[in-house]
Amino acid sequence: MARTKTVYRCEGCGADAPQWSGRCPACGEWNSLVESLTGEATSRPAGGARVARLSVARPLGEVDPVEWAPRPVGVDEFDRVLSGGLVPGSVTLLGGEPGIGKSTLVLQALASLADRAERVLYISGEEAAQQVRLRAERLGALQPTLWFVAETRLDEILRHIDDVAPSVVVIDSIQTVSDPTVASAAGSVTQVRECSARLVQEAKARGVAVVLVGHVTKEGELAGPRVLEHLVDTVLSFSGERHHALRLLRAVKHRFGSTDELGLFEMTGSGLIGLPDPSRLFLADRRPGVAGSVVVPTMEGHRPLLVELQALVTGEVPGSPRRSAQGLDPGRLAFLLAVLEQRAGLPLGHSDVYALAVGGVKVVEPASDLAIALAVASAQLDRAVPADWVLIGEVGLGGELRQVAQTDRRLSEAARLGFTRALVPPSAPDGPEGLDLVRVSTVAEAIELIPSRSQHRFRPGPVATTG
Ligand code: TYD
Ligand code: MG
């Protein structure tokens, strides 16, 4: 027989503590520890007696895969991230900061399903019917099979699901749902966890796909319980810069497919519009021939994105110089400035340096090192990097260039958009036709390749001419 003992389990993160305290030692949540017994789950009837069976084991090959077939929502960028669509009986958590566009996205997804005469149900605990109707009108989401109810009580929500019998239900947001039988305030860790667990069970039992909208704090944590992430099948994160129209949808966890896909949208006056060709958008306003501007082919999961990076370097300033990195990793920028100074002899120590990724994207992979370094060098030397070049490579402490992952995909995307030359590390694979690869060993060598002002012929950027 297994022995049981008393522990104090955090209702937020599930960690066990031997003693009660006001704050969970693991996750820092206040008043989340409750007394519980361990050892119960592992105890077995004496002598290994047989117990009634609730599940049946069978050869894996006999499991019906169709049960888990995703059904397309009809919003392409959404389906891309879901590896095809929503799986009946599954629960998807859509997290994002307040105001980023979660309600807009789910309403558009439901409208698209209802366009194909699917019965769908939108449950809001945040907005009244009139408010939602106004938004739905704007988004063209007033189909007769799109049902709505403003409700926050869990038992009522389940009753509505039974009444409407939809194939997809959205609950906006999970933080507003509460179960009166759970002695905890709405929005508390306990309520959110208990209600989600119940919804997961009910979704499975009814074969209905449930999408839970969840607000996320500035730090990117789901307000309250991280524990939600392992209750649900799929966790999506919706993000973007508040002052840019670009919105990014990623799967953080996905039981039915890859988490490598990225969905891109633009927030417009008439809702979210999918961006099947984002590189073109990112480069649309680029001014060719300006010192400090370069283009880097980055990867977002499996998706190549061409992004413009810009740098500005001032003359010598008194006191400690400013360094600003927008959409870039500040630590990486500092590192690259040190390499430029020490290995390429650029005097940057007394100048302010501003560097940014254009368009509201974040470019944090080391593959963009060479591009950031050349943007800064180009700005410092006041020599423009030709508009039809792209730059790929990770930079080491010695200023040497290193090979990066998925170089071929990056190069293909650059060629597709009309770029003609790529500066790459020595070991890079051959590029596609039409793209001239220049293999360089060090940052200093790459800087030498930037044409001096007299050499520079003005050429329009490739995207400006083709797009
Ligand atoms: P919303 O979907 O309410 O965000 P969330 O549910 O994540 O809190 O959208 C918030 C913002 O989006 C709001 O500031 C208005 C803007 N918006 C548009 O720009 N266009 C639109 O068509 C809609 C519906 C909203
Ligand atoms: Mg909302």
Side-chain angles (χ1 to χ4, degrees), residues 150 172 222 230 249 254 260 271 357 409:
D172 188 358
L222 255 188
H230 53 262
L249 184 68
H254 192 26
D260 278 338
R409 280 177 170 248

Coordinates of all heavy atoms in Angstrom, one line a residue, residues 150 172 222 230 249 254 260 271 357 409:
A150 N -24.5 36.8 -24.0 CA -23.7 37.4 -23.0 C -23.9 36.6 -21.8 O -25.0 36.6 -21.2 CB -24.0 38.9 -22.9
D172 N -15.4 34.3 -24.6 CA -14.6 35.5 -24.6 C -14.9 36.3 -23.3 O -15.9 37.0 -23.3 CB -14.9 36.3 -25.9 CG -13.9 37.5 -26.1 OD1 -13.1 37.7 -25.2 OD2 -14.1 38.2 -27.1
L222 N -0.3 34.4 -19.1 CA -1.7 34.4 -19.0 C -2.1 34.9 -17.6 O -1.6 34.4 -16.6 CB -2.3 33.0 -19.1 CG -2.9 32.6 -20.4 CD1 -3.6 31.3 -20.2 CD2 -4.0 33.6 -20.8
H230 N -1.5 23.4 -19.8 CA -1.5 22.0 -20.0 C -2.9 21.3 -19.9 O -3.0 20.2 -20.2 CB -0.4 21.2 -19.2 CG -0.5 21.5 -17.7 ND1 0.4 22.5 -17.2 CD2 -1.2 21.0 -16.8 CE1 0.1 22.5 -15.9 NE2 -0.8 21.6 -15.6
L249 N 0.2 35.7 -35.2 CA -0.5 34.6 -34.5 C 0.5 33.4 -34.6 O 0.9 33.0 -35.6 CB -1.8 34.3 -35.2 CG -2.7 33.2 -34.6 CD1 -3.2 33.7 -33.2 CD2 -3.8 32.8 -35.5
H254 N 0.6 22.8 -29.6 CA -0.4 22.4 -30.5 C -0.4 20.8 -30.6 O 0.6 20.3 -31.1 CB -0.2 23.0 -31.9 CG -1.4 22.8 -32.8 ND1 -2.7 22.6 -32.4 CD2 -1.5 22.7 -34.2 CE1 -3.5 22.4 -33.4 NE2 -2.8 22.5 -34.5
D260 N 5.4 25.6 -35.6 CA 6.4 26.4 -36.4 C 5.7 27.4 -37.3 O 6.4 28.2 -37.9 CB 7.3 25.5 -37.2 CG 8.4 24.9 -36.4 OD1 8.7 25.5 -35.4 OD2 8.9 23.9 -36.8
G271 N -11.5 45.3 -39.9 CA -11.1 44.0 -39.3 C -9.7 43.6 -39.7 O -8.9 44.3 -40.3
A357 N 14.0 47.4 -36.2 CA 13.4 46.6 -37.3 C 12.1 47.3 -37.7 O 11.3 47.7 -36.9 CB 13.1 45.2 -36.7
R409 N 16.1 28.6 -47.7 CA 14.7 29.2 -47.7 C 14.9 30.7 -47.7 O 14.1 31.4 -48.3 CB 13.9 28.8 -46.4 CG 13.3 27.5 -46.6 CD 12.6 27.1 -45.3 NE 11.9 25.9 -45.5 CZ 10.5 25.9 -45.5 NH1 9.8 27.0 -45.2 NH2 9.9 24.8 -45.6

